[in-house]
């Protein structure tokens, strides 16, 4: 790995390690959206190896989001159920090589991602 790539990786690592919890959630959602979009594109191109890699990474992110929920919040059970549905749909889309199911996952995640970004902005403004 050349020096520029090492520096870029170090910057990403430090950005994650120094991010507040709400920013970590938005970063996960951003990457989840990217994985789903890349997975769908690979499925449509019939690049099954790439689609599998992207969709498995998306599944890992959903698992991380789900495991981060605590029962202290009233909405956690509903969000956990949504994450379970999303995980099952991603698995089915991957196994079935079905870009339409992958697109359906995108439609589920997009408003959640937007809501988390808005909540993070609101929290930052309230702290200022």
């Amino acid at each position: 790995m050349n020096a520029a790539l090492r520096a870029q990786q170090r910057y990403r690592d430090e950005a994650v390690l120094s991010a507040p919890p709400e920013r970590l959630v938005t970063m996960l959602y951003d990457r989840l959206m990217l994985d789903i979009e890349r997975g769908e594109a690979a499925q449509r191109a019939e690049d099954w190896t790439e689609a599998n890699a992207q969709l498995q990474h998306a599944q890992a992110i959903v698992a991380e989001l789900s495991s981060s929920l605590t029962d202290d919040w009233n909405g956690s059970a509903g969000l956990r159920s949504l994450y379970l549905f999303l995980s099952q749909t991603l698995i089915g889309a991957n196994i079935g090589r079905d870009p339409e199911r992958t697109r359906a996952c995108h439609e589920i995640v997009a408003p959640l991602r937007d809501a988390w970004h808005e909540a993070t902005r609101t929290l930052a403004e309230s702290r200022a």
Side-chain angles (χ1 to χ4, degrees):
M1 181 183 292
N2 69 33
L5 288 176
R6 280 193 305 273
Q8 189 178 42
Q9 182 62 46
R10 205 170 37 251
Y11 174 80
R12 278 194 303 264
D13 291 347
E14 289 176 21
V16 169
L17 292 173
S18 64
E22 64 274 7
R23 178 66 183 126
L24 290 175
V25 172
T26 61
M27 291 168 79
L28 285 170
Y29 269 100
D30 289 344
R31 182 54 198 254
L32 177 58
M33 288 290 291
L34 182 62
D35 288 345
I36 291 171
E37 290 166 357
R38 287 177 175 173
E40 180 186 358
Q43 286 176 318
R44 294 197 188 280
E46 297 184 1
D47 183 348
W48 307 119
T49 302
E50 181 64 16
N52 180 56
Q54 295 298 324
L55 295 177
Q56 283 191 355
H57 193 259
Q59 292 166 40
I61 292 172
V62 172
E64 181 63 31
L65 288 167
S66 182
S67 71
S68 71
L69 291 172
T70 66
D71 292 329
D72 297 339
W73 174 57
N74 276 347
S76 64
L79 195 51
R80 190 174 286 116
S81 293
L82 184 65
Y83 288 151
L84 177 61
F85 175 80
L86 186 58
S87 180
Q88 291 170 340
T89 305
L90 284 166
I91 291 168
N94 196 8
I95 292 171
R97 296 180 171 183
D98 185 350
E100 294 308 317
R101 276 197 269 182
T102 304
R103 168 55 45 184
C105 292
H106 184 277
E107 299 303 317
I108 292 168
V109 172
L112 290 171
R113 177 191 167 274
D114 293 345
W116 279 107
H117 273 277
E118 182 60 31
T120 299
R121 271 192 297 278
T122 301
L123 185 60
E125 288 171 3
S126 73
R127 289 179 179 161

